[in-house]
Amino acid sequence: MNIAFVASECIPFSKTGGLADVIGALPPAVASLGHQVTVFLPRYKQTKLDNPRVVIPSITVPFDDRYRFCSVLDGGVRSGVQFYFIDYPPFFDRDALYGTPLGDYHDNAERFALFCRAVLESAKILGTPDLLHCHDWQTALIPILLKTLYEEDPAFANTPCVFTIHNIGYQGLFPPEILPLLMLPWDLFTMSKLEFYGKVNFLKGAITMADYITTVSRKYSQEIQTAEYGFGLEGVLRARSGTVSGILNAANYDEWDPENDRFIAAHYSAADLSGKAKCKADLLKQFGLPENTQQLVVGMVSRFAAQKGFDLILQTADRLARQELIMVVLGSGDRDYEDLFRKLTKQYPQKFAVKIAYDNPLAHKIEAGSDIFLMPSRYEPCGLNQIYSMRYGTVPVVRATGGLDDTVEQFDRQTLKGTGFKFKEHTGEALLDTLQAAMALYRSDPKAWQALMRNGMAQEYSWINSAREYVKVYERARQLRTAANG
Ligand code: ADP
Ligand code: GLC
């Protein structure tokens, strides 16, 4: 099969979160199963390319008020995957991918509409794929365009679109006037299509129009069909429940493995854990703290967003500060959370060590140097850091939601089975109780703690298994398309 991935971020070219890790790892895994794979990405300011060749000098993207002209760059072949970049500096040559700590860029609808249209137009020139695999709201216009303006284009008659929801909290909501500006027909503005409480909702359109929908864990695929987690789209998803499934993300162990991580102070493995103490000392040093490796270190690496459960940290900050631990936090995002953590470090400098930044090497050091990795998410479609932390022998303490629930198994002291600690209620009390239970085990029973660490290190979340599941979905989408074409 010839498969084209379309996404808004991918390591090593661009990243704000786990989507970039997925797009960096899944396409090569699909290619290794014998398929031809292409990835389309925007070229941002942060995208570093070595002498890219212009493959298409000009693609016309019509907007209501003017035509815009973008080009397509050949990003070369990496791990068996061909990369193309849509280049349009007025939209993408900016300091961030989607916006600043104060909010989204005002023209995100135009930016990603241009991207989607340019992908379809370039795919026609470069060779129409057998299937398009789109990710998150930034690419939602592709299934929408395929079912509307491009419906009669013979190039795409046999090209189904699989759409993956990485996060239903981000939907691409815009005022209705965006439709004429993007030259989309007004008849899309109905409840059964893109209309959503008076606004245009790109993600809703993708959910109704893609041939098949996946999300990134089994649990989340069920959760988003309920009012508690569906962000208003639960009904639309339920209506399509026969063509919705969850495929768990995996880990790229070439990047995230303490045996060969290029960013950490010492390498270690389940057979020889001695390097982990060195990583802890190095981590404490990075934060300007005394290198006391007896200290229990709780790490967090996260986008600062409401999704991640920082309200629970806020609720319990005073009580957390009384525990025998140090919280080491790396994150950036919403201004409110950045301010919260700045305040906590000032108030409790011995207890909260915070770096407000996006810093990949430091993220690796936190995974390796912490004893516990905390993810109290309000919701979590999959979550990658808990999967990474298990490989680093860093015990995850998580809220039992979405992919966190699917990947972390509660530790049982009797049988010594399990990989971490989980709590159900989204409350500060539940977080604190669970963290205290983990800390008690760490202090009172080092043998059990090591068994727990090793259980995590033995977990294998390999992309090849997930890639096989995706290929099954691709085949199903093609059958559905053939049946629909009659
Ligand atoms: P999400 O995609 O919701 O942000 P995931 O757990 O799936 O959550 O993935 C987050 C990814 O982004 C991980 O690879 C994590 O290490 C990385 N990350 C998040 N915030 C930062 C940061 N401030 N600095 C470096 N890496 C970060
Ligand atoms: C999203 C989710 C996260 C998931 C990632 C990759 O950003 O918030 O849980 O792991 O996408 O699928």
Side-chain angles (χ1 to χ4, degrees):
M1 228 182 296
N2 184 337
I3 300 143
F5 279 73
V6 190
S8 58
E9 50 185 277
C10 173
I11 59 156
F13 306 110
S14 45
K15 172 162 169 175
T16 67
L19 173 63
D21 295 28
V22 174
I23 306 302
L26 175 61
V30 172
S32 75
L33 296 174
H35 301 282
Q36 237 183 299
V37 182
T38 306
V39 177
F40 285 93
L41 298 164
R43 188 215 194 161
Y44 301 101
K45 194 180 205 167
Q46 60 168 254
T47 305
K48 300 280 173 272
L49 301 173
D50 298 333
N51 301 319
R53 193 172 61 91
V54 177
V55 272
I56 308 175
S58 175
I59 286 196
T60 312
V61 181
F63 284 78
D64 184 33
D65 55 344
R66 62 166 117 173
Y67 286 180
R68 293 182 187 270
F69 303 95
C70 56
S71 59
V72 184
L73 308 179
D74 184 343
V77 176
R78 298 172 71 105
S79 310
V81 173
Q82 169 69 54
F83 285 86
Y84 291 116
F85 293 86
I86 304 300
D87 195 22
Y88 188 64
F91 279 175
F92 298 115
D93 203 17
R94 300 185 185 176
D95 288 340
L97 268 53
Y98 313 126
T100 68
L102 296 177
D104 289 347
Y105 290 132
H106 72 278
D107 55 355
N108 274 349
E110 290 108 296
R111 296 172 76 219
F112 291 101
L114 172 124
F115 174 60
C116 290
R117 287 224 191 189
V119 167
L120 289 181
E121 285 303 317
S122 24
K124 291 204 293 185
I125 299 168
L126 299 164
T128 322
D130 298 319
L131 182 132
L132 282 150
H133 186 173
C134 299
H135 301 261
D136 274 354
W137 80 262
Q138 293 87 345
T139 63
L141 274 183
I142 291 197
I144 297 169
L145 287 165
L146 288 173
K147 288 276 163 74
T148 55
L149 299 182
Y150 282 77
E151 202 177 12
E152 285 165 23
D153 188 337
F156 294 111
N158 298 311
T159 305
C161 181
V162 171
F163 188 85
T164 298
I165 302 170
H166 293 261
N167 195 328
I168 208 163
Y170 301 86
Q171 303 185 345
L173 284 171
F174 303 102
E177 305 75 57
I178 202 70
L179 289 176
L181 178 62
L182 303 181
M183 304 196 73
L184 290 166
W186 269 117
D187 66 12
L188 282 176
F189 198 60
T190 62
M191 246 207 354
S192 64
K193 293 180 177 162
L194 270 63
E195 194 272 337
F196 186 77
Y197 301 100
K199 290 197 165 159
V200 165
N201 184 327
F202 282 9
L203 190 65
K204 178 177 174 183
I207 294 170
T208 43
M209 293 184 218
D211 295 271
Y212 201 98
I213 296 128
T214 72
T215 183
V216 288
S217 67
R218 192 192 49 83
K219 179 89 185 259
Y220 192 62
S221 75
Q222 295 164 346
E223 286 174 343
I224 53 177
Q225 300 187 45
T226 68
E228 192 183 350
Y229 290 99
F231 281 83
L233 294 179
E234 57 277 6
V236 188
L237 277 157
R238 276 202 304 269
R240 298 220 48 191
S241 60
T243 40
V244 176
S245 61
I247 300 177
L248 196 66
N249 287 335
N252 181 355
Y253 295 118
D254 292 340
E255 297 282 330
W256 297 94
D257 186 341
E259 287 190 56
N260 53 36
D261 188 321
R262 62 203 147 112
F263 299 117
I264 62 179
H267 291 153
Y268 60 92
S269 65
D272 178 5
L273 287 168
S274 55
K276 192 163 168 68
K278 290 197 190 110
C279 293
K280 188 172 184 175
D282 176 53
L283 174 63
L284 294 168
K285 191 167 113 198
Q286 297 290 324
F287 278 88
L289 297 162
E291 290 168 46
N292 168 14
T293 52
Q294 297 308 308
Q295 169 125 264
L296 188 147
V297 177
V298 178
M300 291 184 90
V301 177
S302 186
R303 285 183 298 110
F304 284 160
Q307 167 195 353
K308 301 295 179 179
F310 291 111
D311 51 329
L312 301 189
I313 307 282
L314 181 65
Q315 274 174 35
T316 51
D318 296 340
R319 283 172 287 168
L320 278 172
R322 287 200 294 273
Q323 309 294 318
E324 281 181 56
L325 55 72
I326 176 133
M327 302 260 314
V328 170
V329 181
L330 168 66
S332 62
D334 292 359
R335 171 69 75 78
D336 290 354
Y337 296 115
E338 294 192 356
D339 291 346
L340 158 73
F341 278 110
R342 277 195 195 98
K343 202 176 123 222
L344 285 177
T345 17
K346 277 215 186 99
Q347 207 174 346
Y348 304 109
Q350 316 298 328
K351 295 291 171 182
F352 288 92
V354 180
K355 181 162 179 193
I356 297 187
Y358 181 87
D359 184 337
N360 184 46
L362 191 59
H364 286 250
K365 286 178 191 288
I366 293 178
E367 287 289 5
S370 306
D371 299 295
I372 287 176
F373 198 91
L374 182 61
M375 291 180 78
S377 304
R378 181 171 283 279
Y379 71 93
E380 196 62 72
C382 178
L384 295 171
N385 279 309
Q386 83 282 10
I387 300 180
Y388 302 152
S389 80
M390 287 192 264
R391 182 50 69 104
Y392 285 80
T394 300
V395 172
V397 172
V398 304
R399 181 158 173 261
T401 181
L404 295 175
D405 202 18
D406 282 355
T407 52
V408 176
E409 187 193 340
Q410 174 64 42
F411 184 68
D412 178 342
R413 207 168 166 177
Q414 304 307 316
T415 61
L416 298 183
K417 281 205 172 134
T419 53
F421 291 83
K422 303 201 264 195
F423 58 99
K424 280 211 167 60
E425 302 298 319
H426 185 81
T427 60
E429 270 61 42
L431 163 78
L432 211 57
D433 286 352
T434 311
L435 195 57
Q436 278 170 335
M439 288 167 54
L441 184 78
Y442 175 85
R443 295 206 192 287
S444 66
D445 195 343
K447 264 191 154 164
W449 188 264
Q450 285 217 354
L452 167 58
M453 286 168 72
R454 289 203 167 89
N455 290 349
M457 295 176 93
Q459 300 294 309
E460 196 61 51
Y461 286 96
S462 105
W463 270 111
I464 206 74
N465 295 334
S466 306
R468 285 202 183 92
E469 295 294 310
Y470 277 106
V471 170
K472 282 188 208 153
V473 163
Y474 300 156
E475 280 159 1
R476 176 94 186 99
R478 291 182 77 195
Q479 285 164 358
L480 289 168
R481 174 52 71 96
T482 312
N485 285 349

